[in-house]
Amino acid sequence: QAQTQGTMRITASQPVAVQLMPPLLARMRMALPDVQVELVASNQVSNLLRREADIAVRMVRPEQGTLVAKKIGNVGVGAYAHRSYLARRAAPRQPADLLQHDLIGSDNDTAILRGFQSMGYGVGPEVFALRTDDLVVQWQAVRSGLGIGFVADYMARNDPDVLGILQGMLPIPPLPMWLAVHREIRTNRRIRAVYDFLAANLPAML
C-alpha cells in the first residue's frame, strides 16, 4: 500500500478531462485510495520528458522514444445539434446542406475546413457562425442551440436533447486515443497502478 501512496499528475485534453475523467477518477479513488491526482486539462501536448505530467491521455501518438504509448481506443466524432436548433431549422439531408446552416468550429485548427475541402467544398473560416479553439465551449454552444458542431460522440451521449446529424454520411475519421507514460513505469508501483487502471477502464467509456 505504501508503494502506491502519493501524487500522480495526469494530463488530458479538455473534453476528456471534463467528461470522462471525473467519473473515472471517482472509481479510481475507491480502487486506489492512497493516490492523489493532479489533473491538467489542456489541449497542448504536455512534455512527459520534462516532467510536466506522469501520464498523458492523448489524441496523437507520442514520438519520444523513451515513452511507452498504448492505443486504448478510437473516439468517434460527428456533427450534432440541439433539438431547439433543429426546431428552427430543417435538419440537413446531405453534406452540402451544412453550408446553409449555422456552424460551430475552430479558430486555428483547420481540420473541419479540410474535411469540407475533401468533400469538394472550398470554404474558409467565414463558414462558421462561431469559431473557438476551446472544445468545451464548442460543446456548450451546441447544447445552447447556437448551431451544428462537430464533437466527440462520448460528449453527445450524455445529453438526449443533442441529436446526431448526417450520421454515416460525413467522412470524419475517428481519433485514436493513446495512453503515454515514462518507461520507469516498470519500476514505479504507483505509476503502474494508475496506468493499469486507466488502460482497463477508459476504453469502455469511449
Side-chain angles (χ1 to χ4, degrees), residues 105-129:
S106 298
D107 190 22
N108 292 308
D109 185 344
T110 59
I112 299 170
L113 294 179
R114 294 197 306 273
F116 276 118
Q117 288 162 8
S118 74
M119 292 189 291
Y121 308 113
V123 294
E126 68 282 349
V127 75
F128 299 117

Side-chain angles (χ1 to χ4, degrees), residues 32 40 49 54-55 82 90 103 107 109 119 132 139:
L32 300 169
V40 181
L49 299 181
D54 297 303
I55 295 178
H82 193 271
L103 300 180
D107 190 22
D109 185 344
M119 292 189 291
T132 174
W139 166 239

Side-chain angles (χ1 to χ4, degrees), residues 26-136:
R27 277 154 52 194
M28 194 175 87
R29 185 71 190 160
M30 291 183 278
L32 300 169
D34 294 323
V35 176
Q36 298 89 48
V37 173
E38 294 176 356
L39 180 60
V40 181
S42 172
N43 295 326
Q44 303 299 316
V45 176
S46 295
N47 191 330
L48 292 180
L49 299 181
R50 290 206 308 264
R51 298 290 166 177
E52 291 173 12
D54 297 303
I55 295 178
V57 182
R58 291 179 169 170
M59 311 313 289
V60 291
R61 183 174 192 165
E63 298 298 328
Q64 297 100 327
T66 55
L67 299 180
V68 177
K70 178 181 183 179
K71 185 180 175 186
I72 56 172
N74 286 309
V75 175
V77 179
Y80 289 92
H82 193 271
R83 291 181 191 277
S84 62
Y85 177 81
L86 296 173
R88 306 197 305 271
R89 306 282 299 273
R93 294 180 177 277
Q94 56 190 11
D97 295 344
L98 285 171
L99 301 178
Q100 310 304 317
H101 277 265
D102 296 334
L103 300 180
I104 299 161
S106 298
D107 190 22
N108 292 308
D109 185 344
T110 59
I112 299 170
L113 294 179
R114 294 197 306 273
F116 276 118
Q117 288 162 8
S118 74
M119 292 189 291
Y121 308 113
V123 294
E126 68 282 349
V127 75
F128 299 117
L130 172 68
R131 295 193 296 272
T132 174
D133 290 319
D134 189 314
L135 299 173
V136 175

